[in-house]
């Protein structure tokens, strides 16, 4: 039985990871300050004697033991990471330094949840890991993008300087149950709007693209990465099927049988025009590729939101 820390374990992806790693017979400690995560995402796990929740902010140090650390603590929705951008930067940088310190002291393996945002508004398409990105360091998304870039740097420096077993994944847009209805990201926004017969808000003209990965596929890739020896990454994890935001809106309207109308709002600044992962490295090194198509994943996510969390928000 491994002792595993999951920072951000009460959040969307973290809660799925907690569940899966407990099912696999591990002891799981969830560290979360509940900024965007909720107890309801993990409350059912409290029945398991091998699950523990510690209310903790990763910008402060903590002295506990672990064999593995999945470092996910950080707000991920633009609305949430821009709410207090200085705190977002502190979470990425100080939070990663603290968890790296813990990993160094306990000789734990540590995996960082980085992001496709390290590629910024990419000039290379699809994005390969070798691409260094096109990132604005002074814009409204910079607290998140540059914070994650610095976190990647720290991971690599601890790996080189202290021989830490470090692993970096770059997650592309992921969706599924346990997203907050007021999360502000596009999939949850469109589903909640369609379900509540509110206007569907497309930012810009909707021609910008994203590639959406269902959370179960992502969690498989994350665990494979942790269990693959002698591979630090960074590695892209995402679904390479690319859609315009307008196509996503039309799919959600069709699947929810909603009569909501589409309205257009201004595009936020630095919003990437295109995004699609090249997942050749994940295929070769992890034997991983996503299996769940967008329509199938959307149906499961719509069922989740319609079962309660998305009603009348
Ligand atoms: P989320 O907002 O649902 O989860 C983040 C969790 O971290 C929440 O439970 C929150 O309360 C916690 N947290 C935030 N700041 C903290 C702090 N200072 N101390 C302790 N806990 C803190 O977001 P998510 O979508 O589950 O994303 C999880 C991770 O994956 C993030 O690091 C994010 O950058 C990364 N990621 C996610 C996506 C995606 O599409 N979902 C894409 C790229 C990267
Ligand atoms: N978006 C939109 N309407 C919304 C929310 C988002 O058109 O209600 C757009 C957003 O401008 C971006 C894309 O959808 O182009 C994905 O946004 P999200 O916040 O989900 O993630 P991002 O990939 O931008 O971090």
């Amino acid at each position: 039985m491994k002792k595993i820390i999951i920072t951000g374990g009460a959040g969307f992806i973290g809660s799925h990871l907690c569940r899966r790693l407990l099912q696999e017979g591990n002891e799981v400690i969830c560290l979360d300050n509940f900024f965007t995560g909720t107890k309801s995402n993990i409350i059912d796990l409290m029945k398991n004697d091998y699950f523990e929740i510690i209310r903790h902010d990763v910008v402060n140090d903590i002295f506990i033991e672990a064999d593995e650390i999945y470092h996910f603590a950080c707000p991920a929705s633009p609305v949430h990471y821009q709410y207090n951008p200085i705190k977002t930067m502190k979470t990425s940088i100080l939070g990663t330094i603290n968890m790296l310190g813990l990993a160094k002291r306990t000789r734990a393996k540590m995996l960082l949840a980085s992001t496709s945002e390290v590629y910024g508004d990419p000039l290379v398409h699809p994005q390969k890991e070798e691409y260094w990105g096109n990132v604005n360091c002074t814009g409204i998304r910079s607290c998140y993008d540059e914070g994650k870039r610095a976190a990647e740097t720290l991971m690599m420096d601890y790996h080189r300087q202290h021989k830490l077993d470090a692993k970096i994944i770059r997650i592309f847009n992921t969706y599924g149950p346990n997203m907050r209805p007021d999360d502000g990201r596009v999939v949850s926004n469109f589903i909640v709007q369609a379900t509540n017969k509110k206007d569907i808000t497309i930012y810009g003209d909707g021609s910008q693209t994203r590639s959406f990965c269902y959370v179960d596929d992502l969690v498989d890739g994350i665990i494979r990465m942790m269990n693959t020896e002698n591979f630090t990454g960074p590695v892209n994890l995402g679904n390479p099927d690319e859609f315009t935001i307008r196509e996503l809106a039309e799919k959600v309207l069709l699947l929810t049988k909603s009569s909501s109308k589409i309205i257009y709002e201004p595009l936020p600044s630095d919003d990437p025009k295109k995004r699609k992962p090249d997942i050749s490295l994940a295929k070769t090194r992890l034997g991983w590729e996503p299996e769940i198509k967008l329509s199938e994943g959307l149906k499961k996510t719509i069922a989740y939101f319609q079962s309660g969390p998305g009603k009348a928000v």
Side-chain angles (χ1 to χ4, degrees):
M1 181 180 269
K2 284 183 287 195
K3 190 186 272 237
I4 300 178
I5 294 176
I6 304 178
T7 74
F12 159 49
I13 300 173
S15 59
H16 289 271
L17 256 183
C18 288
R19 192 159 279 111
R20 184 77 71 85
L21 290 166
L22 276 173
Q23 277 162 5
E24 291 184 0
N26 301 292
E27 183 177 348
V28 171
I29 303 170
C30 161
L31 300 186
D32 206 297
N33 71 349
F34 299 106
F35 172 50
T36 52
T38 59
K39 284 190 187 153
S40 59
N41 279 345
I42 44 171
I43 200 80
D44 57 309
L45 303 180
M46 291 303 289
K47 291 188 283 271
N48 190 319
D49 289 342
Y50 295 102
F51 183 64
E52 209 175 319
I53 305 178
I54 303 178
R55 181 185 286 267
H56 173 73
D57 192 313
V58 294
V59 306
N60 302 310
D61 54 16
I62 183 163
F63 291 85
I64 50 176
E65 310 308 310
D67 302 308
E68 291 178 354
I69 301 165
Y70 288 82
H71 183 40
F72 278 66
C74 185
S77 152
V79 175
H80 291 138
Y81 70 64
Q82 287 165 21
Y83 170 75
N84 184 347
I86 297 168
K87 178 66 195 253
T88 300
M89 197 64 142
K90 281 187 183 173
T91 294
S92 266
I93 296 178
L94 299 178
T96 303
I97 290 176
N98 285 326
M99 295 321 296
L100 280 164
L102 194 153
K104 182 178 160 225
R105 179 176 55 79
T106 59
R107 298 316 297 168
K109 230 195 279 189
M110 174 161 158
L111 180 147
L112 169 73
S114 184
T115 167
S116 53
E117 284 282 322
V118 299
Y119 302 120
D121 190 4
L123 305 175
V124 167
H125 195 76
Q127 293 80 53
K128 271 183 178 297
E129 290 82 354
E130 298 82 63
Y131 179 48
W132 289 356
N134 176 40
V135 181
N136 176 359
C137 66
T138 55
I140 56 170
R141 295 176 86 101
S142 312
C143 59
Y144 183 70
D145 301 11
E146 296 291 6
K148 289 286 185 179
R149 286 168 69 96
E152 286 199 16
T153 308
L154 285 161
M155 293 288 287
M156 292 309 298
D157 286 336
Y158 269 74
H159 173 63
R160 283 184 288 254
Q161 199 172 327
H162 298 299
K163 307 285 171 268
L164 192 93
D165 195 350
K167 293 172 168 294
I168 301 171
I169 56 168
R170 292 183 178 153
I171 303 173
F172 284 65
N173 297 63
T174 298
Y175 68 99
N178 293 4
M179 291 182 94
R180 290 165 62 125
D182 61 349
D183 180 89
R185 281 179 275 190
V186 69
V187 173
S188 44
N189 267 12
F190 286 1
I191 293 177
V192 171
Q193 289 163 343
T195 302
N196 293 296
K197 300 190 175 53
K198 297 212 171 122
D199 293 343
I200 305 277
T201 53
I202 289 185
Y203 304 157
D205 64 4
S207 63
Q208 71 271 36
T209 68
R210 293 293 186 273
S211 307
F212 300 100
C213 186
Y214 188 68
V215 66
D216 288 355
D217 276 334
L218 180 79
V219 167
D220 278 341
I222 296 170
I223 295 174
R224 275 175 195 247
M225 178 59 171
M226 184 61 107
N227 294 337
T228 300
E229 303 223 326
N230 303 317
F231 182 43
T232 299
V235 63
N236 289 338
L237 293 182
N239 190 319
D241 293 345
E242 186 183 4
F243 296 88
T244 65
I245 295 304
R246 210 176 315 117
E247 284 169 333
L248 175 73
E250 280 156 9
K251 255 186 197 300
V252 170
L253 283 173
L254 195 74
L255 292 172
T256 51
K257 300 189 180 67
S258 169
S259 55
S260 291
K261 70 175 199 305
I262 292 177
I263 59 163
Y264 292 87
E265 293 189 352
L267 189 68
S269 67
D270 295 340
D271 198 288
K273 288 179 262 319
K274 290 202 233 181
R275 183 182 290 157
K276 169 187 163 103
D278 181 319
I279 57 163
S280 323
L281 187 64
K283 280 187 187 165
T284 340
R285 293 302 302 266
L286 311 180
W288 176 86
E289 66 181 305
E291 288 174 356
I292 299 166
K293 293 279 165 214
L294 181 59
S295 297
E296 192 188 339
L298 282 179
K299 280 184 200 156
K300 292 173 198 254
T301 312
I302 290 166
Y304 166 77
F305 279 115
Q306 291 184 342
S307 72
K311 280 192 191 149
V313 170

